[in-house]
Amino acid sequence: MIFDVLTLFPGMFDSPLRESILGRAIKQGALEVRAHNLRDWAEGKHLTTDDTPYGGGDGMVMKPEPIDRAVAELKEKAPTAKVLLMTPQGVPFCQQHARDLALEPGLIFLCGRYEGFDERVRQTLVDAEFSIGDFVLTGGELPAMVMIDAISRNLPGVLGSSDSAETDSFADGLLEYPQYTRPAVYNGMSVPDVLLSGDHGKIASWRREQQLLRTLQRRPELFDKVALTDQDRQVLERLSRELES
Ligand code: 4GN
């Protein structure tokens, strides 16, 4: 998958996406991240990409023409790539989006600065607007990197089978069960006996129960979207009763 990024700060994309797992995946050719400087499509002596807002007010607004020219040029090479804009006003980005977007042939990320974009950019050039959470950042670059990371984990060949995307948090819509490694006793705290028992059936049901318990305690609203088995429902009812008493 090719990720094209339009930004005033292409250098921001150099390190975070090229270390560790994604760095290896880039070397292996599973994905490519091309950060382009929006200023390359600006015009005039000062290569301006922003201007004052009509109607007055604080801050600057990103001009539409450089973005228009940049997107048009990137689309010559990637005609089917969707254009995504990072903004607190966007659809809340989630794991299902990460899975779906991994099936696209290419994506173009539009990263803004200042107070935002001319509204006509949204209307004509953008396929979808995403937010990574209810907070405001100084630019769309970090949200774009967050999305590229989450999407890339779902590309074939990026994760090994030992840390596959099918088994991690949210794969089944529930939070993860607690994990332990050596030592068996740490600062007086023991690893749960069941994990040392060698009984794989028991371990699997303990882990499922822990997933249900964690989700119930921390993120009960996630149950609205999860497919639960009859067994899950029975365990969940017992856990709810135990928590009440
Ligand atoms: C996205 C962009 C937060 C998010 C952003 C988010 C840059 N902050 N929650 N800041 O996903 C106005 C123009 C703010 C660009 C935008």
Side-chain angles (χ1 to χ4, degrees), residues 1 3 82 84 93-107 130 147 150-152 154-155:
M1 157 109 85
F3 297 97
K82 285 199 172 130
L84 310 183
F93 178 66
C94 69
Q95 188 62 25
Q96 190 57 48
H97 293 123
R99 283 194 283 259
D100 292 344
L101 290 170
L103 304 173
E104 296 287 331
L107 293 169
F130 283 108
M147 283 186 61
I151 294 165
S152 297
N154 294 285
L155 295 173

Side-chain angles (χ1 to χ4, degrees), residues 62 85-89 111-117 122 130-141 143:
M62 296 190 67
L85 185 146
M86 260 34 65
T87 167
Q89 304 169 52
C111 304
R113 286 268 150 179
Y114 323 118
E115 299 309 305
F117 300 89
R122 298 197 141 90
F130 283 108
S131 166
I132 63 160
D134 288 336
F135 42 80
V136 184
L137 301 166
T138 55
E141 286 80 8

